[in-house]
Amino acid sequence: MKNNKILKVTGKYFLILLGSLIYAVGFSYITYPNDVPTGGINGVSMIINAFTGLPVGTMSIVLNIPLFIIAWVKFGREFVIASLAGTVLSSLAVDGLNLFPYVLTTEPLFICVYGGILMGVGLGIVYRVGATTGGTEIVVKLLKLKYAHMNTGTIMFIVDLIIICAYSVIFDKINSALYALITVFLMSKSLDIVLYGFSQSKMCYIITDHSEELKNAILIRLDRGVTILTGHGGYSGAEKHIIMCAIKPRQIVELRSIVKEFDPGAFMIINDAKEVFGKGFSDNAEFK
């Protein structure tokens, strides 16, 4: 049991290190040398760096102090320790890579695409194990408490948008800000993909007169749980059974086949379900 716990903790901090390194490559070798603001605490640090010359990574640590105090109160010691590791590792990675200056690309489109994707993937890996790299990511987690229906990447995009707009106004760099918007948009989408996956789950409602047969087929052939709801037809007034179930996108074709087989006259509605938690679906909700 103790060895399993050690392996779990080691794996967690290894992923924090990996995510921090990936993020630092995108920042230090793509966006920062091309003067593209990326929002977040590093975006604020870039503004301070322009005035004072202080290292971006070091400034990130200084600005994080009050945010970590709030995080300790709101989320507890374990989150703060993991996020502190993410903050220190990402900051050291940024400053370490800056000691060996290199520009991977100067093509504006590549800067936006690859910079955004690398930073988003790096942050997503860190967030997935219940940590952050500090800064505005802590702000995002606080906002997530109030706006639980919004994806983490969406909240981050809004926060970064505010910082980037401030950057463009202060430095009168409209072009850089426009490129930055593309970068942070792709960063937020990449982050969401790492957290939530590529595919949305599907929520299905089947109005049928053969609920028992359909229920058994779904349970056995799709290995999905179902809930039977009772309703009444608006026109006929007849009692109807409604089968509700959550499935994976790849199971839609088979579900349609089952419905056609047992009740060709059934009425079926399939909606996107962005987040489904429970048996057979995601249970990693530490930062989501």
Side-chain angles (χ1 to χ4, degrees):
M1 183 67 71
K2 185 176 180 180
N3 289 336
N4 288 338
K5 185 176 181 180
I6 293 174
L7 287 174
K8 184 177 179 180
V9 172
T10 302
K12 176 178 180 176
Y13 284 92
F14 171 77
L15 289 175
I16 292 174
L17 173 60
L18 177 64
S20 298
L21 288 172
I22 293 173
Y23 171 83
V25 170
F27 179 79
S28 295
Y29 286 167
I30 299 180
T31 59
Y32 180 62
N34 286 291
D35 199 25
V36 175
T38 56
I41 207 72
N42 277 329
V44 177
S45 298
M46 286 174 67
I47 295 175
I48 297 174
N49 172 264
F51 286 110
T52 65
L54 293 172
V56 172
T58 302
M59 282 308 306
S60 295
I61 295 176
V62 173
L63 293 173
N64 269 298
I65 293 175
L67 292 173
F68 273 103
I69 294 174
I70 297 173
W72 184 285
V73 174
K74 286 287 185 179
F75 306 117
R77 183 180 63 180
E78 185 176 347
F79 170 79
V80 170
I81 292 174
S83 294
L84 182 61
T87 302
V88 173
L89 289 172
S90 61
S91 297
L92 289 176
V94 165
D95 283 346
L97 292 180
N98 286 340
L99 295 175
F100 307 94
Y102 186 74
V103 182
L104 286 175
T105 180
T106 57
E107 172 62 40
L109 178 61
F110 292 163
I111 294 169
C112 298
V113 172
Y114 295 112
I117 291 175
L118 281 172
M119 291 189 294
V121 169
L123 291 178
I125 292 172
V126 174
Y127 294 173
R128 194 169 180 86
V129 295
T132 71
T133 58
T136 54
E137 287 81 33
I138 294 177
V139 176
V140 170
K141 187 168 175 65
L142 290 168
L143 290 173
K144 182 71 172 172
L145 294 176
K146 185 174 182 180
Y147 302 102
H149 63 285
M150 296 178 67
N151 287 347
T152 300
T154 301
I155 298 175
M156 175 165 287
F157 176 73
I158 294 172
V159 172
D160 286 341
L161 176 63
I162 295 171
I163 296 172
I164 290 169
C165 287
Y167 177 94
S168 65
V169 170
I170 292 172
F171 295 104
D172 192 25
K173 293 186 177 182
I174 303 300
N175 286 337
S176 293
L178 292 175
Y179 286 129
L181 291 179
I182 300 174
T183 302
V184 297
F185 175 79
L186 291 173
M187 181 171 67
S188 68
K189 291 302 178 183
S190 300
L191 187 153
D192 277 343
I193 287 173
V194 174
L195 282 181
Y196 306 110
F198 284 95
S199 300
Q200 295 179 328
S201 298
K202 301 292 181 179
M203 180 61 71
C204 304
Y205 299 91
I206 307 167
I207 303 171
T208 177
D209 293 322
H210 301 274
S211 58
E212 192 65 23
E213 296 94 326
L214 282 174
K215 178 195 73 174
N216 291 333
I218 293 171
L219 288 172
I220 296 171
R221 288 159 61 172
L222 295 183
D223 192 27
R224 292 298 175 195
V226 300
T227 299
I228 307 295
L229 308 176
T230 300
H232 292 84
Y235 177 75
S236 66
E239 184 176 286
K240 296 284 185 179
H241 287 159
I242 305 168
I243 297 176
M244 180 181 73
C245 64
I247 63 173
K248 297 292 188 180
R250 65 178 180 272
Q251 297 177 308
I252 291 175
V253 174
E254 189 173 358
L255 177 62
R256 287 175 176 165
S257 177
I258 291 173
V259 172
K260 185 176 180 180
E261 177 183 342
F262 289 96
D263 187 4
F267 190 79
M268 183 165 63
I269 302 170
I270 301 176
N271 294 325
D272 289 332
K274 186 62 180 178
E275 297 181 62
V276 179
F277 300 109
K279 184 178 179 180
F281 292 90
S282 175
D283 60 357
N284 183 11
E286 289 181 285
F287 194 79
K288 296 177 183 181

